[in-house]
Amino acid sequence: MKPVLEAPGAEITNGLVHAQLYLPDGENGYYRGTRFDWSGVVSTLDYKGHTYHGKWFDKYNPTTHDAIMGPVEEFGPLGFTDAKVGESFVKIGIGAITKPDEKPYSSFRPYTIANPGSWSVKKKADQVQFVHTLTDANYGYDYQKTLKLTKGKPELVITHTLKNTGTRTIETTVYNHNFFVIDQQPTGPGYAVTLPVSTLSPEGGRGMGDLLTFKDNQLIYLRDLEKKEQAYFPDLAAGKSVPYELNVSNTKTGAGVNVTGDREISKLVFWSSSTTVCPEPYINLNIAPGKSFSWQITYQYYLK
């Protein structure tokens, strides 16, 4: 596998699945934005000659909010509303960030990192473990995340443990953006998406009837998306909690992935461009000082 760009990284394999990961690095890291957790960036993953994650964007800058790949995660901001201009708020997996003005928080806006915390990384042949530790004025945490390929199976398991070491409760959300790029196929009728909701909600969305339609718990693309076209739905589950189960496959190449988690989905966003398909399952976090919370997501890759 060739890296997308030279940057600190690691390769892992279990003999069936091969994956390349980029590693957190404040000076030379591939991703240095202030939106997504810096750990676990999967630049490419292949199984039996098929690829499931990869580069989906044209223009690259290390601080661009979504210049990132793979099953990456974003935590909601902590303490943004309470922070005064010039003070800091926290993004888990990134650090303490300076609040520059009174404008509302935006994931798409670049911010200045005031306190990056500290990272440690342990690499083995089939896994990488990341630990991010932050101590700030009101919030502190130890965040451990491990990406491991299961022995003898085409499977990637992401485990997380977040311990609250600060004085305030960590109350937020985390979701996985799942930038699926299967065999570099264009987004369109070749993709099949199945979600754990009996009746999908189009409320507040865009692209319905033009780009795609719903049939029971499936999203069906009506045509290939053109460059700059996007489909978006803010909560296909309409506020209901649902099991963490979804499937994305490409019927042209036969490659697909089942995704399951051990926590319920609290909100189910869906976004896609012409180059990537992204179901975004959210879970809620509420962690009192001194307490820990763990969750796990499993990716099972297959060929039909």
Side-chain angles (χ1 to χ4, degrees):
M1 293 178 296
K2 293 183 179 180
V4 177
L5 186 73
E6 292 298 331
E11 291 192 14
I12 58 173
T13 184
N14 62 359
L16 295 172
V17 176
H18 300 261
Q20 183 187 75
L21 284 67
Y22 283 125
L23 306 180
D25 188 305
E27 294 185 0
N28 302 304
Y30 183 86
Y31 182 75
R32 284 169 269 158
T34 53
R35 178 180 179 184
F36 290 103
D37 171 7
W38 286 12
S39 62
V41 180
V42 178
S43 60
T44 184
L45 182 147
D46 69 65
Y47 168 58
K48 288 189 174 180
H50 294 262
T51 57
Y52 296 80
H53 306 288
K55 188 170 181 287
W56 61 274
F57 47 88
D58 292 328
K59 296 181 180 179
Y60 168 75
N61 184 298
T63 59
T64 299
H65 73 90
D66 59 357
I68 197 166
M69 298 158 287
V72 294
E73 293 163 290
E74 179 184 7
F75 293 82
L78 299 172
F80 181 85
T81 302
D82 296 337
K84 297 177 181 178
V85 174
E87 295 181 343
S88 63
F89 63 100
V90 167
K91 290 274 286 188
I92 294 167
I94 301 170
I97 297 169
T98 301
K99 183 175 182 176
D101 49 45
E102 292 292 356
K103 293 180 180 179
Y105 174 77
S106 172
S107 291
F108 309 143
R109 182 182 181 186
Y111 294 92
T112 299
I113 300 174
N115 176 4
S118 62
W119 285 99
S120 66
V121 178
K122 294 182 180 179
K123 295 179 280 186
K124 295 183 179 180
D126 61 353
Q127 63 186 279
V128 181
Q129 180 191 86
F130 305 88
V131 177
H132 190 224
T133 303
L134 179 75
T135 301
D136 201 52
N138 296 302
Y139 291 98
Y141 62 79
D142 289 326
Y143 173 46
Q144 180 175 306
K145 178 176 179 178
T146 302
L147 279 73
K148 181 178 181 180
L149 297 171
T150 303
K151 184 178 180 180
K153 295 181 180 180
E155 182 177 273
L156 171 68
V157 179
I158 307 177
T159 56
H160 317 71
T161 299
L162 180 62
K163 182 177 181 180
N164 186 347
T165 62
T167 59
R168 288 189 179 182
T169 296
I170 293 176
E171 186 173 3
T172 187
T173 60
V174 60
Y175 72 93
N176 200 306
H177 204 294
N178 287 313
F179 287 106
F180 290 117
V181 183
I182 296 180
D183 292 323
Q184 297 296 319
Q185 291 294 302
T187 302
Y191 273 98
V193 181
T194 304
L195 301 169
V197 184
S198 57
T199 303
L200 299 173
S201 171
E203 187 175 353
R206 62 176 181 267
M208 185 68 176
D210 175 24
L211 304 179
L212 51 75
T213 188
F214 301 159
K215 183 179 180 182
D216 300 325
N217 63 338
Q218 295 183 321
L219 276 77
I220 299 171
Y221 285 94
L222 300 174
R223 60 176 176 83
D224 284 355
L225 272 65
E226 297 177 4
K227 197 170 184 178
K228 296 187 178 181
E229 283 190 318
Q230 299 179 1
Y232 172 73
F233 297 92
D235 189 4
L236 291 168
K240 299 177 182 176
S241 294
V242 296
Y244 205 122
E245 301 171 351
L246 58 95
N247 175 273
V248 177
S249 66
N250 192 279
T251 57
K252 291 183 179 179
T253 71
V257 56
N258 289 311
V259 185
T260 56
D262 63 352
R263 301 286 181 175
E264 282 198 329
I265 297 172
S266 60
K267 184 171 74 168
L268 184 54
V269 176
F270 183 83
W271 177 82
S272 63
S273 70
S274 62
T275 54
T276 184
V277 174
C278 309
E280 303 173 26
Y282 281 66
I283 65 172
N284 292 329
L285 303 179
N286 192 310
I287 311 169
K291 301 296 183 179
S292 297
F293 181 83
S294 298
W295 69 102
Q296 179 174 291
I297 308 171
T298 300
Y299 293 78
Q300 297 173 315
Y301 303 96
Y302 65 87
L303 295 174
K304 287 186 177 180

